[in-house]
Amino acid sequence: MSERLSVFKTYKLYVGGKFPRSESGRVYEVSDKKGNWLANAPLSSRKDARDAVVAARKAFGGWSGATAYNRGQILYRVAEMLEGRKAQFVREVADAEGLSKSKAAEQVDAAIDRWVWYAGWTDKIAQVIGGANPVAGPYFNLSSPEPTGVVTVLAPQESSFLGLVSVVAPVIATGNTAIVIASEKAPLPALSLGEVLATSDLPGGVVNVLSGRTAEIAAPLAAHQDVNAIDLTGADDVLAKELEIAAADNLKRVLRPQPVDYAAVPGIDRMTAFLETKTVWHPTGSLGASGSSY
């Protein structure tokens, strides 16, 4: 019997719920920590970035309008699907980060648990940071959080999976849509995550995953007028400064890079970073039933 040939995996982008190759047709080699070739990853272009913005904006209305409980169900479904493909992600994380299989398994388990953690917060965050405000006069005054909109996320460069999940899950848990720029050196776990999201009931366009040169992809997204916020976690100091200046053109929310222990309990800061507060005034008593908001 002849020796069977291996079937190599073709990695693709994840945009609008589909798996396109880069518009430019370019790829780049991804290697492990020892320099051994792992795969060819798509080298995203500015056109890919613009397509991702269009997909994210199109998905925003439906995702932000979904009930918080429904979003939580879908995030939990992501964890379920990851659990079933854990062996694949352990292998990819071990290769990407130069970890032993046992250490990589710990990272993957923590990432799965992180999805569950944020799934539990989807219908609770509004009660924690919203509520009734004391005012002088015959009015009810209520504050409630609303998603900012389309968020560009620069994934951590070193923590290819746990770090990735830790910055993406809180963005979509609160009703935003995301354009994720994967780790430049270790993009494969992020590209495989796109395959999981596609089979997890998550509507197409809610998360879009791009791979390639971080600076090349991030520059047009930081300046894009239809991107509402940017998380600079995966940028170095020089790139972060350039992107923050570009983001000022349309007053984007900017989350600056900061040291993070991804193994620690994350807290709610990454959820509140991309939420706006809506305040509603409603008259009481004889003033009638009409109300106003700002």
Side-chain angles (χ1 to χ4, degrees):
M1 181 181 294
S2 60
E3 183 179 352
R4 181 177 179 272
L5 296 176
S6 298
V7 178
F8 290 103
K9 181 177 175 64
T10 300
Y11 288 89
K12 297 183 179 181
L13 307 177
Y14 182 56
V15 178
K18 300 178 180 179
F19 296 94
R21 301 177 188 273
S22 173
E23 172 271 339
S24 66
R26 301 177 302 169
V27 297
Y28 72 106
E29 293 188 358
V30 177
S31 303
D32 63 16
K33 290 290 185 178
K34 297 180 180 179
N36 299 312
W37 180 85
L38 294 174
N40 290 332
L43 193 59
S44 300
S45 67
R46 289 172 176 259
K47 176 64 163 55
D48 295 316
R50 293 195 297 270
D51 289 345
V53 175
V54 172
R57 176 57 62 191
K58 184 178 180 180
F60 177 69
W63 183 242
S64 61
T67 65
Y69 178 72
N70 181 237
R71 288 199 298 268
Q73 287 180 308
I74 291 173
L75 264 64
Y76 187 85
R77 177 66 172 165
V78 175
E80 287 183 357
M81 300 301 290
L82 281 172
E83 190 76 30
R85 296 178 61 169
K86 184 160 43 175
Q88 173 193 347
F89 282 92
V90 168
R91 182 180 67 255
E92 290 183 340
V93 170
D95 290 338
E97 301 181 29
L99 301 175
S100 66
K101 288 294 172 56
S102 61
K103 290 293 184 181
E106 291 176 5
Q107 295 288 303
V108 173
D109 285 342
I112 294 171
D113 293 345
R114 192 62 44 86
W115 281 109
V116 175
W117 196 86
Y118 279 112
W121 268 103
T122 56
D123 59 357
K124 300 174 182 65
I125 189 68
Q127 285 71 39
V128 172
I129 66 173
N133 307 309
V135 294
Y139 298 96
F140 293 119
N141 183 265
L142 306 174
S143 292
S144 60
E146 294 186 343
T148 296
V150 175
V151 181
T152 293
V153 180
L154 277 65
Q157 295 297 326
E158 300 303 323
S159 184
S160 66
F161 194 55
L162 177 57
L164 168 76
V165 171
S166 297
V167 297
V168 174
V171 170
I172 66 171
T174 49
N176 298 288
T177 54
I179 301 157
V180 182
I181 303 176
S183 166
E184 184 172 330
K185 294 181 179 179
L188 304 188
L191 296 173
S192 290
L193 178 63
E195 298 173 1
V196 171
L197 298 177
T199 55
S200 302
D201 303 324
L202 189 74
V206 172
V207 175
N208 305 274
V209 182
L210 305 175
S211 61
R213 309 304 180 204
T214 300
E216 181 181 349
I217 310 169
L221 291 173
H224 200 295
Q225 297 295 298
D226 206 23
V227 173
N228 304 110
I230 186 167
D231 180 346
L232 299 175
T233 294
D236 59 30
D237 291 342
V238 174
L239 178 60
K241 184 176 181 179
E242 292 175 358
L243 297 179
E244 190 167 357
I245 292 172
D249 280 350
N250 72 330
L251 300 178
K252 290 180 178 64
R253 281 201 169 206
V254 176
L255 183 61
R256 296 179 176 88
Q258 51 194 307
V260 180
D261 178 6
Y262 293 112
V265 177
I268 65 172
D269 290 350
R270 286 192 173 274
M271 287 185 285
T272 58
F274 302 115
L275 286 172
E276 311 290 343
T277 299
K278 178 180 181 180
T279 302
V280 177
W281 294 74
H282 197 289
T284 62
S286 61
L287 293 179
S290 62
S292 62
S293 65
Y294 65 86

